[in-house]
Amino acid sequence: MSLRNIAIIAHVDHGKTTLVDQLFRQSGTFRDNQRVEERAMDSNDLEKERGITILAKPTSVEWTPEGGEPVRINIVDTPGHADFGGEVERILSMVDGVVLLVDSSEGAMPQTKFVTGKALALGLKPIVVVNKVDRPDERIQEVLDEVFDLFVSLDATDEQLDFPVLYASGRNGYANDDATLRSGTLIPLFQKIVDHVPAPAVEVEGVPFTFLVTLLDRDNFLGRILTGRVTSGSVKVNQAIHALDMDGKVIETGRASKIMAFHGLDRVPVDEAKAGDIISLAGLAVATVANTICDISVTEPIQAQPIDPPTLSMRFAVNDSPMAGREGTKVTSRMIRDRLAREAESNVAVKVTESADKDSFEVAGRGELQLGVLIETMRREGFELSISRPRVLFGEDENGGKTEPYETVMIDVDEEFSGTVVEKMNIRKAEMTDMRPSGGGKTRITFSAPSRGLIGYHGEFLSDTRGTGIMNRLFEKYGPHKGKIEGRKNGVLISNGSGEANAYALGPLEERGILMVGVGEALYEGMIIGENAKPDDLEVNPMKSKALTNFRASGKDDAVRLTPPWKLTLEQAIAYIDDDELVEVTPKTIRLRKRYLDPNERKRMSRSKAA
């Protein structure tokens, strides 16, 4: 059986996972009457909830051309969000071709540029699929022109520029060479993959087994599971193997206790795997991503693709609030250290460093969403944490000057809101690089902006555009430091004691700002209970109750009517806090608090910083 290895790459929400669903169905991987969840490849709980792909996952389908031999197509479904770009970068070394999916209306977006640039640099020849051609606002020809211009700007070769094009609707399960057709099957896509993507150019006979690890997983019974593509030779169950690091040093020696190939959504045990196969392998306890697993006669490692560095970091620490340990089961710094070490091992885009006092950890990643997903995952596992405000990682230029990360920001917004967006981005030291109509009464504005200025802006952006704006961001470069950028304009309301929030006390406080707590919620001194309408922080008493006397009131007391509190999501809370504030995260609750709970200590620290 011949073999093809491909990755499906695209910007977030352009339909990769939905298309893979249809490839499963039309290749016969699922029975006609088999119940399968929509977006079957999004198996993680957070992926299902958010509707986005977070982890790159290999799968496999078999397809037989009419009158031909069956072909196994190994497919890797990749994340579309820039924050999870590390997943895309490393899996591209496993494949021989890519299917680039582009929305027929939105066109080439920032993440399209990122993943396509990586694929072209590796010499992969893409098949371009214009997806969602049944959209009423489709602009197919303009989108194709954008893709061609993008390839040219990324220094594509003449061979890569001569890409085949298909017009598809992943949801409806058809792809055609003709842009006007709105029915059919995905047979043209299968045929294009077989014709256009080369079979793996590898040596099987007479060469030792080598295998580069690109994904790491764990199993309760098998232990560490390493996934990647067999680069040369073949491997059998119980064969002696060892792991080499990037310098060629032997990390550990063991045996291939289990070899698994991908068949649809399942990993199926096999006795032998040959060069070109994408497999999972168990039997080693220490080997990790970017290590070379090979026959014990091999001493030269396979060179792994370099990964772009992280640009943003947060401080993870033990939860030391008065309510610590009430809801979580994993509350010690040792547990947090072990969990973060496991994350850094399997996720090459995350870097973890321990502080000098051993009580906190600096976790660096690609963006707020990536770190937010990590925190949410840990929270669901029973961890309690206190999280600091995100900060960008600065660098130095050749002359010793300070540099900071910049991002390309592409905004699609209704024309009536474009002035507000440009004004707000200018305040954040962003420079507009392009502005053009994008169809449907929307304007596409592109900025080059320091990452520092974008922290916390997304919520404000949605308010400014009445929820109709779309913002996409992508790391661009390290550039000159832009100086001070204005942060949050409003102060916060801080509880001056511990107890339960009282309706009698909260009523008058609504005039001071926006409340984040409701009646009966447990509070402690130093906890943030709302946003002040003025720039300064204000200490208030939300527990004050009405004094009881033996005098009758003349008439009935008015009932207190409270506005529902403003409940922040985890990402909103992380983006909202200031440098002297923390987010307290537990399995059930997200609270905001001051770093120093005691008011006298807060004043002392603010004076020392001012000095």
Side-chain angles (χ1 to χ4, degrees), residues 594-610:
K594 284 293 182 181
R595 187 183 295 270
Y596 302 102
L597 299 178
D598 183 74
N600 298 318
E601 196 174 354
R602 278 202 298 277
K603 286 172 190 167
R604 192 162 58 247
M605 294 306 296
S606 62
R607 278 200 298 269
S608 67
K609 280 185 182 175

Side-chain angles (χ1 to χ4, degrees), residues 201 249 251 287 313 315 317 324 343 361 384 407 425 435 445 481 522 541 558 607:
K249 183 182 171 187
I251 303 168
S313 77
R315 180 177 163 272
E343 184 68 26
F361 308 88
E384 287 196 13
E407 295 184 32
M425 290 296 282
M435 186 173 184
I445 315 170
H481 187 256
N541 181 3
D558 291 332
R607 278 200 298 269

Side-chain angles (χ1 to χ4, degrees), residues 43-63:
S43 52
N44 179 305
D45 284 346
L46 281 173
E47 290 179 321
K48 290 175 185 174
E49 287 171 26
R50 294 167 185 251
I52 60 172
T53 303
I54 294 171
L55 303 170
K57 291 176 281 293
T59 185
S60 169
V61 300
E62 283 184 21
W63 179 72

Side-chain angles (χ1 to χ4, degrees), residues 270-484:
V270 293
D271 295 328
E272 184 181 13
K274 297 181 178 178
D277 290 339
I278 294 177
I279 61 162
S280 291
L281 187 145
L284 297 177
V286 181
T288 186
V289 172
N291 288 166
T292 301
I293 313 300
C294 51
D295 190 86
I296 51 176
S297 63
V298 177
T299 55
E300 285 292 314
I302 302 166
Q303 289 307 306
Q305 282 293 313
I307 301 293
D308 288 347
T311 57
L312 197 77
S313 77
M314 291 181 196
R315 180 177 163 272
F316 286 44
V318 171
N319 179 20
D320 59 355
S321 86
M323 295 184 188
R326 295 189 185 182
E327 296 172 358
T329 54
K330 299 170 182 172
V331 296
T332 65
S333 61
R334 181 185 59 80
M335 288 176 166
I336 295 170
R337 182 196 301 114
D338 293 346
R339 176 64 179 83
L340 292 175
R342 289 205 310 273
E343 184 68 26
E345 193 174 52
S346 61
N347 189 341
V348 289
V350 168
K351 299 280 182 288
V352 179
T353 50
E354 196 169 0
S355 65
D357 54 7
K358 304 285 185 185
D359 71 338
S360 65
F361 308 88
E362 200 72 24
V363 182
R366 289 281 177 83
E368 294 160 72
L369 178 62
Q370 184 194 26
L371 295 177
V373 165
L374 170 58
I375 296 164
E376 182 63 36
T377 305
M378 291 178 68
R379 177 188 176 203
R380 293 180 183 202
E381 291 170 3
F383 284 88
E384 287 196 13
L385 306 160
S386 62
I387 309 294
S388 74
R389 176 179 167 79
R391 63 178 186 84
V392 300
L393 300 173
F394 296 107
E396 274 192 12
D397 60 19
E398 300 161 355
N399 306 318
K402 195 175 186 181
T403 61
E404 63 177 321
Y406 282 63
E407 295 184 32
T408 299
V409 186
M410 190 182 282
I411 290 174
D412 285 310
V413 66
D414 292 336
E415 288 171 16
E416 60 185 296
F417 303 125
S418 57
T420 308
V421 169
V422 171
E423 182 187 339
K424 291 285 179 75
M425 290 296 282
N426 283 339
I427 292 171
R428 287 165 170 75
K429 303 288 178 77
E431 293 177 11
M432 187 165 66
T433 56
D434 188 30
M435 186 173 184
R436 64 174 76 169
S438 62
K442 288 196 179 286
T443 302
R444 178 167 291 179
I445 315 170
T446 309
F447 297 91
S448 176
S451 303
R452 198 163 38 103
L454 297 170
I455 294 172
Y457 174 55
H458 193 254
E460 193 178 330
F461 166 77
L462 290 176
S463 299
D464 290 342
T465 60
R466 307 288 188 273
T468 60
I470 299 170
M471 175 167 40
N472 291 289
R473 297 160 48 176
L474 178 68
F475 173 73
E476 180 187 337
K477 62 180 180 182
Y478 265 84
H481 187 256
K482 283 275 191 176
K484 188 175 180 182

Side-chain angles (χ1 to χ4, degrees), residues 243-255:
L244 305 176
D245 65 13
M246 295 175 78
D247 300 320
K249 183 182 171 187
V250 177
I251 303 168
E252 67 170 321
T253 304
R255 291 188 175 275

